[in-house]
Amino acid sequence: MQEMNVGAFVVPTDDPHMSEYTAEYFNRREFISGFTGSAGVALITSHNAYLFTDGRYHEQAELELPSTWTLMKQGNAHVPTWQEFVASDKCKGLTIGIDPFLHPYQVVAGLQKSLGASRVKLLQQNLIDAIWTHHRPQFPCTPLRVHPLQWAGRDVSEKLHDLREVMAEHQATTLVVSSLDEIMWMFNVRGSDVQCNPVSISYAVITSNEAILFIDPHKINAEVAQHLAAHHVTLRPYNDIVSYLTTAAADASQQWIWVDTATANAAIATVIPTNKRLEKESPIVAMKAVKNHAELAGMRACHLRDGAAFVEFVSWLEEELTVHNNENLTEVDLDQHLTASRASYDLFLEPSFPTIAGVNSNGAIIHYRAEPTTCQTLTRHDMLLLDSGGQYADGTTDVTRTFHFGVPTAHQKNMYTRVLKGHIAIDRLVFPTGTPGYLLD
């Protein structure tokens, strides 16, 4: 930080595509802080280290953070966001260093407006990368696969035609796509670069006569290459995106270059001049939200199979606890048995997220992940929270249930009822548009 003349460095959870779930290669915040939750921002100054996270993770962060860190419990009274914190007297005069590939353009623009552009330094190298040199996971490079038309419902050429019509309505000659789910949907492909998510690290650019996929060429096999070529999709290396956009922005024939600045990182958005940058939600968001007949059929079919697998698992679990009086089942055992049950059905690929099997107090930890050395065992006297799902070739599932296989105590009934009443209250609550979830908590 001293060498870079940076007084504070921001370490977000995000990857360059603002993904909700990230590949292990991008887990810089986890590496530096030890906090494994899926949301949070670390801020490091020359003398202090802070972690900002919302109410879902306060308990987990208290358990995982080293004693040298300060937990900033967002949502609690008088606790600022990290953006408010760097604008406060605590960071007065400090230059704030950020990796422009890991922050949405809108966030960076807001920071520059509140602090002044001179205090926000867009770094050429991520400072965590300079010290994370041992045992770091490799940059993801899993093979891309074709998503068949029988489940996609529409071919790539049809989607590109509709997309270009929307672009023309907004006088946009180029669309930049950085969200991984949008890219996979548009080109009818799937990947496995991110655990439990069928996506591949990539960018895409669509023009009036071109469709370009920026991706590591090692991910492309003959079948995928043939599929993309059939729809006139060309390939370029993943890291070419900035140089390509720089050249495109300099082209006098360009009208508007459409970029979703809420999801596009600052590194790619800032190379597009403001007089050519159309800042608007990606049109693929709305297109993808309208499911066609094949997609709907796939969703229904996978839920039927998943439901059968889940019921088979619950039947097995009930018998183990109430008939065989098995008191040696751990949370990890439950995860493994449930996954095996799903895997016995056609088209199963992997869980749709790491299974949350929480016995008693562990059920209160958001996104809890059981580990063999620390997990609890389940008996018929315990409460079990089970949140799980499956990725299938034709759809995705997510189901949450709370179980008790014996006679609940008065305390257990009370806790369950309070949670239920909380859900009912949230369901009935009227709140202003744009209110963040942690404020409702």
Side-chain angles (χ1 to χ4, degrees):
M1 289 173 59
Q2 289 179 338
E3 292 175 2
M4 296 287 184
N5 294 317
V6 169
F9 182 59
V10 184
V11 189
T13 304
D14 300 297
D15 66 6
H17 306 274
M18 308 306 130
S19 305
E20 181 179 1
Y21 300 98
T22 60
E24 291 183 347
Y25 174 86
F26 298 110
N27 292 350
R28 297 179 175 95
R29 189 222 61 219
E30 179 180 333
F31 166 79
I32 197 65
S33 70
F35 172 61
T36 62
S38 63
V41 173
L43 178 69
I44 301 165
T45 68
S46 57
H47 296 98
N48 298 294
Y50 305 87
L51 178 79
F52 296 77
T53 192
D54 61 62
R56 296 173 298 167
Y57 299 100
H58 291 171
E59 182 178 351
Q60 180 180 349
E62 286 178 336
L63 293 172
E64 294 181 339
L65 281 179
S67 59
T68 52
W69 283 70
T70 300
L71 175 59
M72 306 296 286
K73 297 182 177 180
Q74 287 186 234
N76 288 2
H78 311 300
V79 177
T81 64
W82 71 265
Q83 294 97 324
E84 293 168 340
F85 186 84
V86 297
S88 71
D89 288 341
K90 291 275 189 181
C91 295
K92 187 175 183 179
L94 295 182
T95 298
I96 311 302
I98 65 172
D99 181 341
F101 280 98
L102 302 182
H103 296 266
Y105 172 78
Q106 284 186 1
V107 170
V108 174
L111 204 61
Q112 291 173 328
K113 183 177 180 180
S114 64
L115 300 181
S118 62
R119 284 190 58 200
V120 181
K121 188 170 185 178
L122 306 185
L123 302 175
Q124 298 297 313
Q125 181 189 18
N126 191 294
L127 301 186
I128 301 300
D129 295 351
I131 61 173
W132 193 7
T133 56
H134 298 290
H135 309 296
R136 184 177 184 176
Q138 294 294 311
F139 192 91
C141 189
T142 60
L144 207 60
R145 65 180 186 273
V146 176
H147 186 55
L149 188 60
Q150 69 182 100
W151 298 316
R154 304 190 70 208
D155 69 29
V156 178
S157 296
E158 290 178 296
K159 294 178 181 180
L160 288 172
H161 176 269
D162 292 350
L163 179 60
R164 286 169 174 142
E165 285 190 339
V166 178
M167 291 169 58
E169 291 172 4
H170 291 82
Q171 297 182 319
T173 49
T174 299
L175 171 70
V176 183
V177 190
S178 60
S179 292
L180 303 182
D181 59 321
E182 295 179 26
I183 297 168
M184 300 297 102
W185 180 86
M186 176 56 63
F187 294 137
N188 285 350
V189 290
R190 297 291 187 268
S192 53
D193 279 352
V194 182
Q195 182 186 23
C196 302
N197 289 261
V199 297
S200 185
I201 305 298
S202 55
Y203 294 100
V205 170
I206 315 297
T207 72
S208 55
N209 55 18
E210 274 190 308
I212 307 169
L213 177 62
F214 294 81
I215 193 169
D216 186 331
H218 294 98
K219 299 179 181 181
I220 308 298
N221 61 27
E223 181 187 12
V224 172
Q226 184 178 12
H227 162 75
L228 294 173
H231 300 286
H232 308 290
V233 179
T234 56
L235 299 171
R236 292 190 61 158
Y238 175 75
N239 290 326
D240 278 6
I241 183 66
V242 171
S243 61
Y244 174 91
L245 290 176
T246 302
T247 301
D251 186 348
S253 66
Q254 286 279 3
Q255 292 177 288
W256 291 107
I257 299 177
W258 190 335
V259 58
D260 187 339
T261 52
T263 58
N265 66 59
I268 64 174
T270 51
V271 300
I272 306 168
T274 54
N275 64 338
K276 289 188 175 183
R277 187 169 62 224
L278 176 60
E279 300 181 15
K280 191 176 179 66
E281 181 180 70
S282 168
I284 300 175
V285 172
M287 293 173 63
K288 189 164 67 73
V290 181
K291 304 303 180 185
N292 59 52
H293 292 300
E295 290 171 323
L296 291 172
M299 290 172 66
R300 295 187 183 105
C302 79
H303 274 83
L304 289 173
R305 295 193 305 276
D306 192 78
F310 191 81
V311 169
E312 287 179 2
F313 164 79
V314 174
S315 176
W316 166 82
L317 180 58
E318 183 176 34
E319 182 176 343
E320 287 293 313
L321 294 174
T322 63
V323 177
H324 303 302
N325 294 318
N326 188 344
E327 296 188 348
N328 297 312
L329 289 173
T330 69
E331 295 164 330
V332 171
D333 293 330
L334 303 183
D335 180 357
Q336 293 174 346
H337 276 82
L338 179 52
T339 300
S341 182
R342 286 192 165 103
S344 69
Y345 281 81
D346 291 342
L347 306 183
F348 176 79
L349 300 172
E350 63 180 333
S352 54
F353 53 93
T355 297
I356 302 169
V359 175
N360 295 330
S361 60
N362 284 347
I365 301 175
I366 304 299
H367 293 177
Y368 169 72
R369 182 74 184 272
E371 298 293 343
T373 56
T374 58
C375 63
Q376 293 194 35
T377 56
L378 175 68
T379 73
R380 64 180 183 276
H381 306 297
D382 301 315
M383 295 185 72
L384 170 66
L385 173 71
L386 194 57
D387 187 359
S388 65
Q391 291 284 9
Y392 297 85
D394 54 348
T396 305
T397 68
D398 180 348
V399 57
T400 306
R401 295 290 184 271
T402 302
F403 294 99
H404 195 295
F405 293 95
V407 179
T409 65
H411 177 69
Q412 289 171 332
K413 291 179 180 178
N414 183 33
M415 294 299 100
Y416 184 90
T417 302
R418 286 176 178 270
V419 171
L420 175 60
K421 290 174 72 174
H423 278 281
I424 294 172
I426 286 288
D427 182 63
R428 299 176 64 184
L429 186 65
V430 178
F431 50 88
T433 300
T435 303
Y438 69 84
L439 289 182
L440 298 182
D441 290 342

